Amino acid sequence: MIDFRYHIVSIVSIFLALAVGIVLGAGPLKEDIGNRLSQQTSALRAEKTQLRTQLDAEKAGTAARDTFAAAVGPVIMKSQLSGKTVALVIAPGADADLLKNTSAALATAGAKVGSTITLTDAWADPAKRTFRNTLATQLAQLVKVPVAAGQDQLAASVLSRAILGGIGQTTQRLDPSASGALDGLVAGDLVKVSDNVVPSSAVVFIGGPVKGSTQADTDARLATYVELVRSLDGAGSGVVVAAVSSNSADPTASGDLVAAVRKDSDAAKIASTVDDANLPMGETTLVLALAQQYTGGVGQYGMAADAKAISPTIAAKQ
C-alpha cells in the first residue's frame, strides 16, 4: 500500500511541476525569455553586419594595394636587371600564371631569360635516387664536377654548371660539354628544356606543392630541391626561390619549397625567397631580391610568418 501511494505522489508531483512550468512560461517568465532571445538575435545580426563591413573593407584595401603595386612596380623594376641573363627552374606543379608573370617582370627589369628548365617528378623522387646518381656520375666529367659529391648533390651540380656560366658570365652560347650534360639529363627524363639555351648568371627557382606518399617521402623530396637551390647559388651569381601565397590553406604560411629553404640554415644564408610572388607587389619584390643577389645580398621576403621583411630596402635616388 505504501509503494502504491509513493507512485501516486510521484506522478502527481511530475504533473504539478509541468503545470507550474507552463504557467510561469506563459506568464511571468514569458516576457523575460522573449526579451533575452530578441536581444541575442539583434546582437548576432549586428555582429554579422560588422564582420561583413570589415570583410568588405579588407577586400577593398587588398584591391587598392594590388592596383597601387601594379602601377608603381614597373617604375621600380625598370633597369634593375639590365644586361642580366637569368635562368628559370620550374618545379613540378608550379603555378603557370606565376611563371608567366615572373617572365614578364624579368623583362620589365631589363633581364633576358636564358633558359627555362622544367624539373620532372623523377628529379626529386626518392625511388629514383640511385638512377639520378648513376646518370650524374656519367655526366659529371663534361662539366667538371667532382664525382665524390653526396646524395643528390652530384645531379644538382651537373645541372647547375650546365645552365650557369659562373659569376659575371658573358658567354652567349652554351659550351658543347655543358650542352651534352644537359642533353643527358633530358634523355634521363629528369628535366625538360626550352629551345635555344643561353648560359645564365643567376636563377629564379619557381616552387610548387611538394607532396609525397608519406611524410618521410615529402621530406626527402624537399631536401633534394633544397640541395639544388644551394648548388644553383654556388654556380652563379645567386638564386631567388619564388612561390604563390596561396600554396597553403594558412595564409600566414609560405609555400612548400620556400618554407624548406627558410628552415635550412645553410640555404637561408645564400638563397633569397619570395612567398607572395604571385601578387603585383611580390613581382617587384622578386626583381629587387634578384638584383640584391647580384650584389651579394640575401633575404627572406613576403607576407608569411617566416618571412623577415616585406621586400628589400629600396635606396632613395638623389
Side-chain angles (χ1 to χ4, degrees):
M1 192 68 176
I2 294 176
D3 290 340
F4 177 74
R5 288 178 178 176
Y6 173 77
H7 289 303
I8 291 295
V9 171
S10 297
I11 292 171
V12 171
S13 298
I14 292 172
F15 279 103
L16 282 174
L18 288 172
V20 170
I22 291 171
V23 171
L24 290 175
L29 294 182
K30 177 182 179 181
E31 184 176 351
D32 187 52
I33 294 174
N35 288 338
R36 288 184 181 181
L37 289 175
S38 179
Q39 291 172 359
Q40 290 176 356
T41 301
S42 298
L44 289 173
R45 286 175 178 169
E47 183 179 2
K48 179 182 178 181
T49 300
Q50 182 181 10
L51 290 174
R52 171 59 63 183
T53 300
Q54 291 176 352
L55 179 60
D56 291 342
E58 290 178 0
K59 287 182 177 179
T62 299
R65 177 203 66 193
D66 290 345
T67 299
F68 178 79
V72 303
V75 178
I76 297 173
M77 289 188 284
K78 185 178 179 180
S79 302
Q80 290 285 346
L81 300 172
S82 291
K84 307 298 186 185
T85 303
V86 181
L88 294 175
V89 175
I90 317 300
D95 186 81
D97 288 335
L98 176 57
L99 172 58
K100 180 180 68 176
N101 294 339
T102 297
S103 299
L106 291 174
T108 299
K112 175 183 178 180
V113 175
S115 62
T116 300
I117 311 298
T118 303
L119 306 176
T120 69
D121 188 65
W123 181 271
D125 186 352
K128 301 283 188 177
R129 176 170 287 129
T130 300
F131 169 75
R132 289 195 299 271
N133 290 336
T134 300
L135 177 60
T137 299
Q138 298 170 357
L139 302 174
Q141 187 176 0
L142 292 172
V143 285
K144 299 180 174 59
V145 173
V147 295
Q151 280 190 346
D152 286 320
Q153 186 179 358
L154 191 57
S157 296
V158 170
L159 177 59
S160 300
R161 295 199 183 186
I163 64 174
L164 293 169
I167 297 175
Q169 74 81 29
T170 57
T171 305
Q172 297 301 309
R173 181 174 299 178
L174 202 65
D175 180 89
S177 296
S179 181
L182 200 53
D183 289 343
L185 294 175
V186 172
D189 195 31
L190 295 182
V191 302
K192 296 179 180 179
V193 181
S194 61
D195 296 331
N196 302 320
V197 177
V198 175
S200 301
S201 55
V203 174
V204 174
F205 194 150
I206 300 181
V210 181
K211 300 298 178 187
S213 57
T214 63
Q215 186 58 50
D217 187 4
T218 298
D219 292 342
R221 291 171 183 267
L222 284 169
T224 300
Y225 289 132
V226 172
E227 181 62 52
L228 177 55
V229 169
R230 290 196 294 261
S231 182
L232 290 168
D233 183 89
S237 297
V239 59
V240 174
V241 180
V244 299
S245 59
S246 58
N247 256 3
S248 170
D250 181 0
T252 66
S254 50
D256 299 326
L257 181 54
V258 167
V261 170
R262 291 173 176 177
K263 289 178 182 177
D264 187 283
S265 58
D266 292 331
K269 292 176 182 177
I270 58 175
S272 295
T273 57
V274 179
D275 62 56
D276 58 352
N278 58 312
L279 302 178
M281 70 178 189
E283 294 172 16
T284 303
T285 297
L286 187 153
V287 166
L288 295 175
L290 189 57
Q292 185 184 52
Q293 280 277 309
Y294 275 104
T295 62
V298 62
Q300 316 308 322
Y301 304 114
M303 298 192 297
D306 54 359
K308 302 301 181 184
I310 294 295
S311 69
T313 301
I314 304 174
K317 293 183 178 180
Q318 301 296 325

